[in-house]
């Protein structure tokens, strides 16, 4: 973020908790605008966990988060 805000046109991030991700996007955009006088765009990668049942998908996510 500290490199992207002054120099970048884009910040590429991985998706996280929606609230954390939104806060990060707002922070970098504000930093680029207020401190460095330019606009920055954010690109995000996101992944889907698809299972037959919600509980299966949630279990896979939990396992991923603890690996």
């Amino acid at each position: 973020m500290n490199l992207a805000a002054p120099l970048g046109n884009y910040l590429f991030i991985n998706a996280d908790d929606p609230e954390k991700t939104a806060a990060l996007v707002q922070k970098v955009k504000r930093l680029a605008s207020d401190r460095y006088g330019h606009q920055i765009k954010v690109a995000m990668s996101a992944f889907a966990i698809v299972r037959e049942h919600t509980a299966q998908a949630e279990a896979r996510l939990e396992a991923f988060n603890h690996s």
Side-chain angles (χ1 to χ4, degrees), residues 9-50:
N9 294 316
Y10 284 88
L11 173 66
F12 292 88
I13 61 173
N14 290 322
D16 196 347
D17 175 84
E19 290 80 22
K20 288 181 187 177
T21 303
L24 174 64
V25 169
Q26 290 175 356
K27 185 175 182 179
V28 73
K29 285 187 170 204
R30 189 175 313 119
L31 182 62
S33 176
D34 294 352
R35 187 176 295 170
Y36 301 105
H38 74 96
Q39 301 299 309
I40 190 168
K41 295 180 180 180
V42 177
M44 179 173 46
S45 63
F47 304 93
I49 299 173
V50 180

